Each structure stands twice: as C-alpha cells, then as structure tokens.
C-alpha cells in the first residue's frame, strides 16, 4: 500500500485545480481563469531576446547561478521600484517562479500552525492554497471599495496575535477594488506598530485603465514590515514563470537559504531573456498596448453586465486589473449557478472567503476572451441568473 | 519589529547555502559543488531550439499551461523509462523545476512531524534540507559499496513506522557507490511489504563511465511504492531547471494539486525548447561526449588521490557520476581541514550523515574543474591532510 498523504493536505480536488479545469470546459465562454490575452504576448520580441542573449552570453548562462537570480534583471526592478518611492538594494530582491512561489516561500518561512494570518474577504485563492499547508488561523477582514477594512483589522491586531497580513492593493483579485492612499499609509503603520508583516501582492499595478497610479504600501514602510511581491505573468507572459519579491535583508537572508531547498533558483535562461527583452524593447509602449486592449474589454464587460444582469445584482466598477466582482441576491448560490450554466463559466466566490464562505458572489475575468465573447457571455450569465431566480413551477 | 521566522527553520546559514558560497571562494580549486563542465553545454543547439520552437509554436507557448508540463516532453520521458523496464502513462509524469522541486513536493505531500524517513548515511544535502522543514524522524541507514545496507533497513522497517525511503541508486551523491541489482529488487519488495514509499533519485544514471547500466528500482515495483525522480541538470544544463518525477496516479493527482500552490507549473518555454532540442539533436551522442570527458576527469582524480593522499586515507572508486568520497583517519575533522585549506575546497561530510554526523569524510567533485586543476587540487588536498596529521610542535 502507498503511504497516506499528510493530514495537512485535505483530500480531493483543490479550488485552484477546479479553477484550472473549469477554464477548459469545451463550448463555454470562460470568465473563470485569470488568463492574459495571448494576442498580446510579444512573441517575436521574446524569440529575438532568447536567441540574442544565448548567443551573446557565455556558456555559463546554462550553469547554476545565484539563488536570487540574474543581477541585471534585479537591477532593473530596483530602478522600477525607486520610481514608486521604494529605496532598496538589488540584493533585497529575489526572482521567483511567478508571484506564486514568492507567496509560498514567505508562507513557509513565517507560518507555524495556528499563527494569525489576516487576509482580505474575499481574497486570491492561490495565496490561500499556498498558506493552507501551514495551517494558520485566518482572520478574514472584509473588503471595501477603497480596500481592506482597516478599523476591523486594527481591532483584530489589538485582540489577536497576527503575524502576516496578505493584501492585493491594486485591482484586487477577485473584487477589482483599489486601496486608497490613506489606507496604504495606515496599513504600513499598523504592521509596524503590531509587529506584523504585510505581503503586498501587486501583479496588476501596471494594468490601470483610468486615473492615477498610487504608491505601494511598501513606500510608506519605515521598518521592513512590508514585503513586495510582483510578477511578469500578467504584463509579459505567465508561462515564463517570472515573479519577484522585495524584502528587508533580515528576511532575504533566510529566504534565500530556504529557496535552495525548494528549487535552487529560477530558470536562468528565462531571466536573462527577459532582461534582454527589456534592454531592446519599449516596455512602456507594450504596457500601453495592454491597457488599451484591456480597457476596451473591461468596458465591454461593464456594459454587458449593466444590460443583462437583473436589477437585484450588483457588480464592482474596477479601473484596472483582470476581474469584475458580481454580488447576486442573497438567496442565490454561485456554485449552483455554475452547474446550471451551459454557455459561460466563472469563479464562484465561496472559497475566496476563508472564514465566512459567502455563497452569493462570483468573479468574472475579462482579459482572456474577445469583446464579442464578453458580450455573449454576459447575456448567458444574465439568462442563467434569471433562470435561477424564477420560482420553481409545481 | 519584523515577526520571527518559523521554528521549523533553524537560524543561520544552511549547509546548502554554505556549499554554494564555498564554490565561489576565489583563487581556490573548487571540488565542493556539483557543477557540470560548462564547456559541455550544447549552447548553439539550445539557442536554435529556443528560437525554432518559439517561431514554430503559437503564442499559446507563453500562456498558462497544464500543471504536469509539456505533453510531448513527457511522452519522450515515458519512452525513455520504457527502455529501462518501467511502464507508465505520460500522465504519471510531472515536469518540475529541477529534481530539487520534485523532492520538495514529495516531502510536502507525505511528511508530517515525526514521520519516519530512511536515508542513506551519507546522503544528498539538498534532499535533507528539503525534508527538514517537515521535521521527520530520520533513520540513517549506512551505505555500502553496493548500496544501502538493506538488512539494517529491514530491521528498522520492522521496528519503526517508516513512511519514506530516499535513495540515489546510481553513483550516489556523495559516495559514488552504485546499488546492486539484487538490492534494487529487494528494496522494491521491502517498500511494498512495509507500505513505505521509495523516492528513487537518479540524476547520474546516464553518466556511467564503465560497465553495464542497471534497471531502476522502479522497474521492480509492482505496487506503486516507488517514485522516480530525475533531472536534465547534469546531462543538459542545470540553469534550465528541468527535472521530472514519475509516480503512481494515486500520488500524481494530489501532487498536481499541491504543485499549483507552489509555483503553478514549470517555465513552459524551457520545456518546449528542451523538447525541440531532443527532436533535432542526437542526445545519445551528446551523452557519449559527456561520458568521455568525465571519464577522463574521474581517472585524473583517482590517479591524483592515489598519488597524493596519505596511506591512511581511503577513497571510493566510482564508475560514474560526479563525486569521489574520501575517508580520512578517524582523528581528522574535514570541517577543520577545510579551514586549513587555502588552495582547494571540498564538501565536509558531517552534515551528510543526518544522525551520526561523522566528521572524517569529505566529498570531491571532479566534473566542474579541468584535469589540470584536478591534478593540482589533489596535490593541495594531500598537502593539507599531511599538515593536519603532523603532531603540533610545542
């Protein structure tokens, strides 16, 4: 007999696995994943970047490299965060296999069983699954349109031992909400005052479709109590698996050691090719193109929802990111709705509330489909909600 | 204040981190790491493979892919293991970020605190560091020139609850020893009889410099109690970070779910480029070239050690792999020797014995240096041992 798996891993399919499989449901329009539009991947430029860097570099390109990853690419990230108001050395930056690995490493480094962990309600399912293995005690802090409810967070910080606070300040996954500048300042102060560490996960920062960019929480951090996590997945390509984190040297040192036991380091050839791509191309112009395309898609979705959802449904009005958040009438269950739905898939919100498990919400992605599909998908969604709202005849 | 890191992670620098930094000591000949010879990386062929596959493939090459990794490459691995006597479906194979991640994922999936884990004494330090986070109870089973002492293992299996058995059957790291075919058969039977899972880590399999290749332990597994772990790191390039594991479907299913929370998947562009490289090149001829070069280096090291080590030192006589294992007179401590040594670095064996912490052994790598450096390094090593053996003048 094969031995039993650890009790830390509950049996059955995870929400994340279910999400990935949902996105593959044939003949459905998928609003369920978090996929970028593949037409926006700079395929030719990346081809050139890989070829050129492999040609230019010595064979050591293919040798074991430092655990933190390519220094030139880290230098570019240092310069990027400087413009956001964050002063850091390149050795405070670690390149990771996507933002997901950064979250996993931080979870592994800090969390012991029953350690307090505050997350937004709702929050990103992938982060929850990374945390779950360490069996933390969750504190679900409700989301507001201007970010996490910090009055409630402060109450919890006063009453409980909270070690980590996980937030997505820009165009939050799943709500699309954006944290106000006042809350960013206050969150940095709270973390410092209560000896907690903020994990600031910011993969959608550059994908703002209107208004002004806000400084990261990290820009207000005086004490090293904020770690930035970011990724090239949404703005360049997810399959490159290149993310990064920026942390106080006191955190980077043990994290680098830990990383060696996870996977040693990132795929160096990928890091070097991204560095080459950034050398040779106008990345700002590329991002501008993403914004233009996704702005149109977001508008198509907001219009489609306004035209098709029953009046007793509400939805968020994001100004960036990948997602719109829909709140159904309280009596509806989004998971049941998904089973009814033939033509469109989405992510039910239940598992995104780690404590309250609210059933009447769903997340819609608008980047991975065409505007035509978005239009049709919103009609399908409107119809299936109408259908679910009709009292059973009989 | 920044919160404390988990008590699962002891403070200070890990052995693995120390090992990586040792390899960088300037003006020293490094026998300490496990680096391939960079002159053997097929740089031009890989350049072509990246360019060609990115050109040929659709933009979906850069999109999120399946968690198991590129199906064509998994198909090639399925075909490879078939020739070794292992029948498996491609969906039993997961591509990982090097073999290291495969070990880490298996550790995370199976190990709870105090679970029994049998390892070879000595064993691979990277595996130990991957296991340590889960605080297993170690059983150190002594190595013999024909592999792990299975009489002792069986006694432990009878008396203790042992969940995992970690072995490197071919050209073991660090000893260079090779497990006999009789022991391979018996190990598979023991695992099945005692409901334990063997992790068969086999990165040096193709690097045999004389004699006949032996079937893997997995070839004798009737019950799914053996997981194969392997890697392209030693035979193609470590910086690609491409490893794989092959396991029973009952293990692959929860492992795939777990992987999503670690880093979602490997860097797809790398997997596809490796697949393209294998399509377009004679990999057997490449391996033949590695064997030829490393055979010469191994011979240089064995000759250098025979000529320079004092007669009361012994060393292994590997027929493949990356390492030679030196046993010093019992009164010598290899860590102290390393501090004395100016001209050559090596890996002291103490941390490689997870229970007995024997101090009078050291591991030498012969692949990452030139034959000239090997010759000189063996002279340096002989001198520093002589120096340590001389009674202090007082």
């Amino acid at each position: 007999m094969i031995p039993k798996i650890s009790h830390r891993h509950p049996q059955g399919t995870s929400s994340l696995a279910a999400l990935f499989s949902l996105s593959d449901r044939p003949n459905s329009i998928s609003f369920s994943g978090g996929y970028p539009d593949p037409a926006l991947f700079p395929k030719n430029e990346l081809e050139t970047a890989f070829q050129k860097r492999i040609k230019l570099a010595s064979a050591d390109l293919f040798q074991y490299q430092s655990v933190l990853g390519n220094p030139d690419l880290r230098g570019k990230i240092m310069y990027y965060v400087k413009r956001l108001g964050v002063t850091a050395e390149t050795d405070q930056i670690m390149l990771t296999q996507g933002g997901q690995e950064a979250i996993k490493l931080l979870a592994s480094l800090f969390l012991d069983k029953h350690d307090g962990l505050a997350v937004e309600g709702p929050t990103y399912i992938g982060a929850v699954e990374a945390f779950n293995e360490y069996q933390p005690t969750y504190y679900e802090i409700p989301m507001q349109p201007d970010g996490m409810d910090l009055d409630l967070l402060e109450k919890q910080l006063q009453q409980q031992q909270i070690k980590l606070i996980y937030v997505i300040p820009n165009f939050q996954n799943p709500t699309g909400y954006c944290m106000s500048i006042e809350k960013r300042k206050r969150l940095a102060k709270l973390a410092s005052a209560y000896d907690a560490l903020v994990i600031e996960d910011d993969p959608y920062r550059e994908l703002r479709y209107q208004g002004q960019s806000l400084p990261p929480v990290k820009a207000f951090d005086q004490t090293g109590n904020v770690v930035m996590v970011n990724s090239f997945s949404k703005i360049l390509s997810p399959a490159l698996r290149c993310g990064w984190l920026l942390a106080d040297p006191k955190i980077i040192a043990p994290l680098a050691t830990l990383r060696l036991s996870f996977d040693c380091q990132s795929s160096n050839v990928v890091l070097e090719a991204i560095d080459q791509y950034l050398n040779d191309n106008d990345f700002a112009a590329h991002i501008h193109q993403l914004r233009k395309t996704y702005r149109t898609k977001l508008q198509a979705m907001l219009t489609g929802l306004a035209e098709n959802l029953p009046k007793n449904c509400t939805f968020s009005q994001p100004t960036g990111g990948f997602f719109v958040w829909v709140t159904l009438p309280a009596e509806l269950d989004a998971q049941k709705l998904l089973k009814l739905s033939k033509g469109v898939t989405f992510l039910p919100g239940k598992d995104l509330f780690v404590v309250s498990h609210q059933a009447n919400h769903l997340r819609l992605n608008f980047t991975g489909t065409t505007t035509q599909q978005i239009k049709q998908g919103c009609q399908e969604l409107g119809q299936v909600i109408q259908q679910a709202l009709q009292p059973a005849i009989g």
Side-chain angles (χ1 to χ4, degrees), chain A:
Chain A
M1 215 177 65
I2 298 170
K4 279 199 185 128
I5 70 172
S6 159
H7 64 79
R8 290 174 288 107
H9 302 296
Q11 303 289 335
T13 308
S14 77
S15 303
L16 207 59
L19 173 59
F20 271 82
S21 74
L22 263 183
S23 298
D24 289 337
R25 199 199 277 186
N27 306 321
S28 270
I29 293 167
S30 175
F31 294 153
S32 50
Y35 284 35
D37 182 343
L40 297 169
F41 298 142
K43 186 173 177 281
N44 294 338
E45 292 80 0
L46 285 169
E47 179 194 328
T48 305
F50 272 97
Q51 191 204 357
K52 192 168 164 185
R53 180 56 73 99
I54 297 174
K55 194 183 285 299
L56 287 173
S58 78
D60 276 336
L61 176 84
F62 293 111
Q63 188 58 285
Y64 285 111
Q65 301 292 333
S66 84
V67 62
L68 296 183
N70 182 264
D72 293 336
L73 183 53
R74 285 188 285 123
K76 288 182 172 67
I77 292 167
M78 184 190 71
Y79 179 73
Y80 168 72
V81 301
K82 199 173 176 182
R83 288 182 296 147
L84 303 177
V86 176
T87 307
E89 303 294 321
T90 51
D91 283 354
Q92 288 176 251
I93 295 165
M94 178 190 285
L95 298 165
T96 55
Q97 285 292 122
Q100 185 69 37
E101 189 185 31
I103 297 167
K104 185 72 189 178
L105 287 168
L106 289 164
S108 167
L109 187 68
F110 282 103
L111 288 178
D112 284 309
K113 193 171 177 177
H114 303 318
D115 274 352
L117 167 58
V119 298
E120 294 163 324
T123 188
Y124 165 52
I125 188 69
V128 171
E129 302 217 349
F131 297 136
N132 278 347
E133 171 170 14
Y134 306 102
Q135 303 175 287
T137 298
Y138 282 109
Y139 297 93
E140 178 188 309
I141 314 293
M143 275 300 278
Q144 298 168 323
D146 66 345
M148 187 185 248
D149 183 336
L150 294 191
D151 291 335
L152 270 181
L153 175 68
E154 186 162 13
K155 257 186 212 158
Q156 296 287 19
L157 286 166
Q158 285 163 353
Q159 292 167 10
Q160 312 289 346
Q161 287 279 1
I162 292 182
K163 200 171 194 180
L164 298 185
I165 305 166
Y166 174 75
V167 295
I168 305 169
N170 287 309
F171 320 118
Q172 197 240 12
N173 179 358
T175 60
Y177 293 153
C178 207
M179 189 184 280
S180 68
I181 190 161
E182 293 74 22
K183 283 195 174 176
R184 289 169 196 239
K185 288 180 187 170
R186 186 175 167 203
L187 179 57
K189 273 190 192 156
L190 286 174
S192 187
Y194 290 94
D195 300 336
L197 186 76
V198 172
I199 300 177
E200 179 180 25
D201 188 11
D202 204 9
Y204 309 105
R205 157 167 291 279
E206 294 301 316
L207 300 177
R208 174 179 280 279
Y209 314 133
Q210 64 180 74
Q212 285 294 312
S213 184
L214 298 176
V217 180
K218 181 70 181 167
F220 306 110
D221 171 30
Q222 306 285 327
T223 51
N225 287 60
V226 178
V227 178
M228 297 177 89
V229 171
N230 214 315
S231 168
F232 286 95
S233 291
K234 310 303 188 196
I235 53 177
L236 191 58
S237 146
L240 294 174
R241 307 304 306 132
C242 182
W244 52 271
L245 60 82
L246 187 159
D248 191 272
K250 285 196 286 292
I251 296 172
I252 285 289
L255 205 65
T257 298
L258 184 64
R259 173 74 185 279
L260 290 173
S261 75
F262 269 69
D263 62 358
C264 297
Q265 59 206 56
S266 294
S267 297
N268 183 57
V269 63
V270 173
L271 305 184
E272 299 230 14
I274 293 174
D275 185 64
Q276 191 67 44
Y277 169 83
L278 296 174
N279 284 341
D280 295 347
N281 294 277
D282 184 346
F283 196 44
H286 171 70
I287 302 252
H288 181 80
Q289 185 58 45
L290 299 187
R291 287 185 189 135
K292 197 174 149 191
T293 304
Y294 291 154
R295 184 184 293 120
T296 305
K297 292 188 180 199
L298 170 58
Q299 196 49 57
M301 180 162 276
L302 293 176
T303 303
L305 293 176
E307 288 175 359
N308 292 286
L309 291 203
K311 295 300 162 224
N312 48 1
C313 296
T314 59
F315 51 93
S316 63
Q317 301 283 335
T319 56
F322 265 39
F323 305 108
V324 177
W325 181 243
V326 175
T327 300
L328 304 168
E331 69 269 28
L332 286 197
D333 180 324
Q335 288 186 346
K336 289 184 188 158
L337 200 69
L338 184 59
K339 282 179 195 154
L340 274 179
S341 172
K342 297 274 174 279
V344 64
T345 64
F346 48 81
L347 183 67
K350 200 169 177 181
D351 292 337
L352 313 183
F353 295 96
V354 292
V355 177
S356 68
H357 298 293
Q358 298 172 38
N360 64 319
H361 306 270
L362 55 92
R363 188 193 77 175
L364 302 175
N365 166 265
F366 57 84
T367 57
T369 42
T370 63
T371 50
Q372 185 51 39
Q373 288 171 318
I374 291 170
K375 195 174 168 183
Q376 196 192 329
C378 288
Q379 287 168 359
E380 301 265 2
L381 182 65
Q383 281 163 19
V384 73
I385 296 174
Q386 291 286 9
Q387 189 189 336
L389 282 170
Q390 279 166 14
I393 300 161

